[in-house]
Amino acid sequence: MNARTLDTEAYFIEREPYYEPTGDEVAVFEAAYRNKLPVLLKGPTGCGKTRFMEYMAWRLKRPLITVSCHDDLTASDLVGRFLVKGGETTWVDGPLTRAVRTGAICYLDEIVEARKDTMVVIHPLADDRRTLPMEKLGLLVEADDRFCLAVSYNPGYQSVLKDLKQSTRQRFVALEFSYPSPELERKIVVTEAGVDAATAEKLVKFAHMTRNLKGSGLEEGASTRLLVHAGKLIAAGIAPITACRTAIAEAITDDAEMLAAVQELSSSLF
Ligand code: ADP
């Protein structure tokens, strides 16, 4: 199989993904989608943005094409490029072009990580032109009516270089994601990890303790994702203290003192 060819059929989500709404994000996304407005998901890592996109793609019955952006990602990676195969040059659409042509949902995760030149292709897609300039082909492709652009961004990592420009952000309907309420987070941990309610409650308490340390030695507290990881280890028979250390503490810090402090917090609970 040619790994560069994206078969959008393969990107349909057939089974309903488990997603607990935390507010009116489902209704807002649906309204934005129906009005062809692009959506910006803001929030820390591991708080449900990807799961939400999977859920919305399932709900709207559209394929979901996700691109994890990184600092080497260029406009060509998104749009496509000429490839030479057996002496022949062929054009291969990138994931964004595929989504634009076939009416898929394109989710660009951590958009600020991508190179600046990616904005050149995103801007005309993210306003009412809904066009994709394909410079190398000299084409301007109009997006399928069912196409949707969604991007995510973590405002927590504040740096001038990693900030979204106003000219970009003011094109999107913005949905803020944060950690679910304690009751909801407990439910998510029970459902996703298969632990009992009492264990989930302790994990959520532990997460809150680490989140309170954000800014005083920790860049970020434990995310819902990490609680699910720890819960899965516990459900598999690992001692809770060990699960908290390996799935949570070691994942959020390398600092020896901070590690000891975080571990002390978990031993106060388990
Ligand atoms: P993000 O994309 O924000 O980094 P994810 O969507 O990957 O985070 O969420 C991480 C994990 O946390 C998911 O795989 C899921 O187990 C759990 N999760 C977080 N929020 C929710 C939610 N609202 N409903 C269901 N599961 C959730």
Side-chain angles (χ1 to χ4, degrees):
M1 202 180 89
N2 183 348
R4 287 207 153 268
T5 314
L6 290 171
D7 174 9
T8 34
E9 288 301 315
Y11 291 79
F12 272 106
I13 295 166
E14 272 154 27
R15 272 195 26 226
E16 177 175 354
Y18 167 64
Y19 179 70
E20 292 284 351
T22 56
D24 50 9
E25 70 273 25
V26 174
V28 174
F29 192 101
E30 252 183 28
Y33 179 78
R34 308 264 176 240
N35 284 283
K36 302 192 175 74
L37 298 172
V39 180
L40 165 68
L41 313 182
K42 296 203 276 186
T45 182
C47 69
K49 299 186 294 299
T50 304
R51 182 62 65 87
F52 172 67
M53 287 308 301
E54 289 164 355
Y55 175 73
M56 290 312 300
W58 170 81
R59 221 180 133 97
L60 296 166
K61 300 185 177 58
R62 298 312 309 149
L64 175 66
I65 298 179
T66 301
V67 181
S68 298
C69 300
H70 53 80
D71 52 11
D72 265 344
L73 189 97
T74 63
S76 299
D77 293 324
L78 293 177
V79 177
R81 51 169 54 95
F82 286 106
L83 289 181
V84 184
K85 231 199 279 165
E88 250 181 73
T89 307
T90 46
W91 172 263
V92 181
D93 279 347
L96 182 61
T97 307
R98 256 305 157 106
V100 163
R101 289 193 205 268
T102 59
I105 298 176
C106 188
Y107 176 46
L108 305 177
D109 194 10
E110 294 287 349
I111 182 80
V112 281
E113 297 292 338
R115 296 251 195 116
K116 294 271 174 295
D117 72 330
T118 52
M119 293 305 154
V120 175
V121 296
I122 288 167
H123 279 188
L125 264 183
D127 55 38
D128 51 14
R129 286 174 284 174
R130 285 179 51 97
T131 52
L132 175 70
M134 298 179 73
E135 228 175 80
K136 288 185 183 149
L137 293 182
L139 284 178
L140 194 63
V141 181
E142 235 176 79
D144 183 285
D145 275 348
R146 300 159 304 173
F147 167 74
C148 168
L149 178 66
V151 304
S152 79
Y153 157 67
N154 181 352
Y157 303 136
Q158 265 161 7
S159 109
V160 189
L161 287 174
K162 293 276 155 78
D163 215 354
L164 262 193
K165 284 203 293 193
Q166 285 292 330
S167 58
T168 306
R169 56 194 301 156
Q170 291 208 18
R171 287 176 145 79
F172 291 84
V173 170
L175 285 175
E176 173 152 29
F177 281 73
S178 57
Y179 304 117
S181 66
E183 305 84 76
L184 209 55
E185 201 167 32
R186 277 202 295 273
K187 190 171 169 200
I188 292 169
V189 175
V190 167
T191 313
E192 288 278 288
V195 288
D196 58 46
T199 306
E201 179 161 0
K202 287 183 191 170
L203 284 171
V204 171
K205 272 199 185 135
F206 178 41
H208 279 260
M209 291 171 167
T210 66
R211 289 169 196 167
N212 288 336
L213 291 173
K214 183 177 170 173
S216 25
L218 273 188
E219 195 177 354
E220 201 78 80
S223 65
T224 310
R225 178 192 296 128
L226 296 189
L227 301 191
V228 171
H229 288 180
K232 283 181 174 167
L233 295 185
I234 295 170
I238 302 293
I241 289 286
T242 311
C244 286
R245 188 185 75 240
T246 53
I248 301 178
E250 296 280 0
I252 54 178
T253 183
D254 294 323
D255 181 275
E257 264 178 44
M258 192 40 92
L259 260 178
V262 171
Q263 269 165 244
E264 213 161 288
L265 294 176
S266 70
S267 9
S268 71
L269 291 166
F270 289 100

